[in-house]
Amino acid sequence: MLTRRDTFAIGLGASAVALLPATAFADAVEDWITAYTGGAAMEEGGVTITAPEIAENGNTVPVSVSAEGATEIVLVATGNPTPGLGRFTFGPGSGAPMIATRIRLGRTQDVVAIAKMADGTFKTTRVEVKVTIGGCGG
Amino acid sequence: MTDVRPRIRLPRSASAGDSITVKTLINHDMETGQRRNSAGETIPRQIINRFTCEFNGVMVIDVAMEPAISANPYMEFEAVVPESGEFVFTWYDDNGEVYTATEAFEVS
């Protein structure tokens, strides 16, 4: 028979389970970023992300990113099954450190861009994209 | 994926030393490995994991792609054209296939 105390305990357990994925996501994103930067401090700003505020279809969200003086840019999704979106390395034939592409977003989340500058420092910016229909399928 | 067909768009003309906008698209499902079929089995991942563009042997951009890049991956970027020559675009599939496209470009 379920007592009030039991019910409360079950509720606590359920909410703990419900909270878990969010924390796991955040950790995965942090770990991913740390693996890329080697834990170096990142300066906020200096990177421009152009993305729609509201994406009706998460399967194909147009984003463009540019960072003056960057040799490489990585894009990270904070709420996808895997954090990485892409790593863009600019060669000597590059005209400007910019890229425009289309990405999949599973749900409303932040998109983070990290730019590696020529002197080895990192700059970062994030924007929130609201997703109406998620783009992870299944 | 036998009918993979890359599409490239370059501006009509440019002067030597200009930076031009290059747009590329290739038809590919970019299967994420997250989806399941009607029997509940995971559909194995098969994406294009790398894309590169060179002009006259000089690297313009090298992209490491993840499953979160949309199907029919589109890439738009800037390339410097110091002289007339040839762009070489290469896409690397998870299944080991490599798709290439070349495009001549004349500077004025």
Side-chain angles (χ1 to χ4, degrees), chain A residues 32 58-61 80-82 84-96 98-105 135-138, chain B residues 19 25 29-32 34-36 47 58-80:
Chain A
W32 200 96
N59 269 312
T60 172
V61 183
N80 269 3
T82 52
L85 292 170
R87 189 182 73 233
F88 310 94
T89 311
F90 305 102
S94 171
M98 72 76 63
I99 183 85
T101 186
R102 295 171 189 153
I103 60 171
R104 289 173 169 140
L105 295 175
C136 286
Chain B
S19 176
L25 188 76
D29 288 342
M30 296 292 280
E31 190 58 59
T32 59
Q34 301 280 342
R35 300 198 308 155
R36 290 171 191 279
I47 66 165
V58 178
M59 188 61 82
V60 174
I61 194 164
D62 188 341
V63 181
M65 290 155 78
E66 301 286 341
I69 298 292
S70 300
N72 307 326
Y74 169 79
M75 293 287 155
E76 178 186 330
F77 49 91
E78 294 282 319
V80 174

Side-chain angles (χ1 to χ4, degrees), chain B residues 21-73:
Chain B
T21 302
V22 182
K23 296 176 181 178
T24 72
L25 188 76
I26 189 166
N27 57 314
H28 194 283
D29 288 342
M30 296 292 280
E31 190 58 59
T32 59
Q34 301 280 342
R35 300 198 308 155
R36 290 171 191 279
N37 63 16
S38 49
E41 298 152 341
T42 303
I43 305 169
R45 173 185 134 152
Q46 195 200 332
I47 66 165
I48 291 173
N49 55 55
R50 185 175 175 219
F51 163 72
T52 62
C53 168
E54 289 177 29
F55 183 68
N56 287 347
V58 178
M59 188 61 82
V60 174
I61 194 164
D62 188 341
V63 181
M65 290 155 78
E66 301 286 341
I69 298 292
S70 300
N72 307 326

Side-chain angles (χ1 to χ4, degrees), chain A residues 3-103:
Chain A
T3 61
R4 276 181 53 176
R5 188 159 296 188
D6 285 344
T7 316
F8 182 65
I10 291 166
L12 263 186
S15 56
V17 169
L19 280 173
L20 210 94
T23 337
F25 269 134
D27 287 351
V29 171
E30 287 308 315
D31 289 353
W32 200 96
I33 292 174
T34 307
Y36 178 69
T37 61
M42 295 187 291
E43 186 188 324
E44 293 281 335
V47 187
T48 310
I49 307 175
T50 311
E53 202 173 315
I54 298 171
E56 296 210 347
N57 180 0
N59 269 312
T60 172
V61 183
V63 292
S64 70
V65 55
S66 63
E68 201 53 51
T71 58
E72 189 170 275
I73 295 176
V74 294
L75 278 174
V76 186
T78 56
N80 269 3
T82 52
L85 292 170
R87 189 182 73 233
F88 310 94
T89 311
F90 305 102
S94 171
M98 72 76 63
I99 183 85
T101 186
R102 295 171 189 153
I103 60 171

